[in-house]
């Protein structure tokens, strides 16, 4: 197992659109294990492969409080979305920034699991929000880009200041 490096916004590589996984094999399962370890260590409730500079359609999520809810989504697709909800989101690729984002309240997602077996999951609450946040990463989108230009510019300024402090 290994902890992977997480890209930080505004790294251009976060804008890559991930391509579908074609083979669910041991090499992919190694990456899944490393992504889960990286997510737990951060700590975070989700991680998209894009964030570790692997541009494949792969996500891990665990919204439980005791690490019992690890779910792997390979080639995830939202097949139904209803309702609206807002939540103060954060992102491991945008450290220290938390902003209200509007998303669908309820989603149905189809994906493959770590054995390559298709499954369908109905989600609401934090899980539904996290699934949408992660699929956005696979499409090259970061949550702060959903905000107004003014808010995004303020965030970019703040990120630059924080970076100066931690370098
Ligand atoms: O750890 C995370 N917390 C979180 C909180 C609210 C909405 C979305 C998230 S996902 C985030 C981890 C991350 O950046 N995943 O891409
Ligand atoms: Ni994120």
């Amino acid at each position: 197992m290994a902890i992977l490096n997480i890209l930080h916004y505004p790294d251009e590589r976060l804008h890559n659109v991930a391509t579908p996984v074609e083979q669910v094999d041991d090499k992919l399962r190694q990456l899944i294990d490393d992504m889960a370890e990286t997510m737990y260590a951060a700590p975070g409730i989700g991680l998209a492969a894009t964030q570790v500079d692997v541009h494949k359609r792969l996500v891990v999520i665990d919204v439980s409080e005791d690490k019992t809810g690890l779910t792997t989504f390979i080639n995830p697709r939202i097949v139904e979305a209803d309702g609206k909800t807002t939540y103060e989101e954060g992102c491991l690729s945008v450290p220290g920034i938390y902003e209200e984002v509007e998303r669908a309240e309820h989603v149905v997602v189809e994906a493959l699991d770590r054995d390559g077996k298709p499954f369908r999951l109905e989600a609401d609450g934090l899980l539904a929000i996290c699934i949408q946040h992660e699929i956005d990463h696979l499409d090259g989108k970061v949550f702060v880009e959903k905000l107004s230009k003014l808010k995004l510019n303020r965030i970019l300024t703040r990120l630059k200041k924080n970076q100066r402090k931690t370098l």
Side-chain angles (χ1 to χ4, degrees):
M1 299 257 274
I3 305 252
L4 307 171
N5 182 54
I6 297 178
L7 300 178
H8 284 178
Y9 191 78
D11 193 309
E12 271 306 317
R13 291 171 288 181
L14 289 168
H15 291 138
N16 287 344
V17 177
T19 56
V21 169
E22 291 188 359
Q23 275 226 72
V24 182
D25 53 17
D26 285 345
K27 189 164 167 263
L28 191 82
R29 281 185 281 272
Q30 177 64 57
L31 173 62
I32 291 165
D33 291 344
D34 289 345
M35 282 175 56
E37 193 183 8
T38 303
M39 172 184 75
Y40 287 128
I45 59 169
L47 190 69
T50 306
Q51 293 176 277
V52 294
D53 202 22
V54 175
H55 302 285
K56 291 184 190 164
R57 303 194 76 83
L58 167 64
V59 162
V60 293
I61 293 179
D62 187 348
V63 296
S64 76
E65 270 165 25
D66 52 2
K67 301 189 180 184
T68 55
L70 181 63
T71 310
T72 302
F73 299 81
I74 298 166
N75 300 338
R77 270 192 327 127
I78 290 173
V79 296
E80 275 175 49
D82 309 272
K84 271 189 182 151
T85 183
T86 59
Y87 193 83
E88 189 173 84
E89 297 194 12
C91 180
L92 296 173
S93 295
V94 198
I97 305 291
Y98 302 89
E99 294 285 347
E100 293 273 340
V101 175
E102 190 180 286
R103 305 254 185 210
E105 183 176 37
H106 177 87
V107 295
V108 179
V109 60
E110 288 181 357
L112 303 178
D113 67 14
R114 62 178 286 136
D115 300 313
K117 193 170 151 260
F119 69 98
R120 186 184 169 97
L121 181 77
E122 284 202 35
D124 38 36
L126 186 54
L127 180 58
I129 288 160
C130 192
I131 288 169
Q132 293 170 79
H133 176 114
E134 303 310 342
I135 292 177
D136 272 359
H137 277 303
L138 301 182
D139 291 327
K141 294 182 228 155
V142 181
F143 85 101
V144 290
E145 295 166 340
K146 293 176 125 20
L147 307 171
S148 68
K149 261 244 137 71
L150 177 65
K151 273 193 178 171
L152 179 55
N153 279 328
R154 284 175 177 161
I155 287 166
L156 282 165
T157 306
R158 224 185 308 156
L159 287 172
K160 272 184 209 143
K161 273 188 203 147
N162 292 345
Q163 222 165 29
R164 255 200 326 257
K165 262 190 281 174
T166 53
L167 278 180

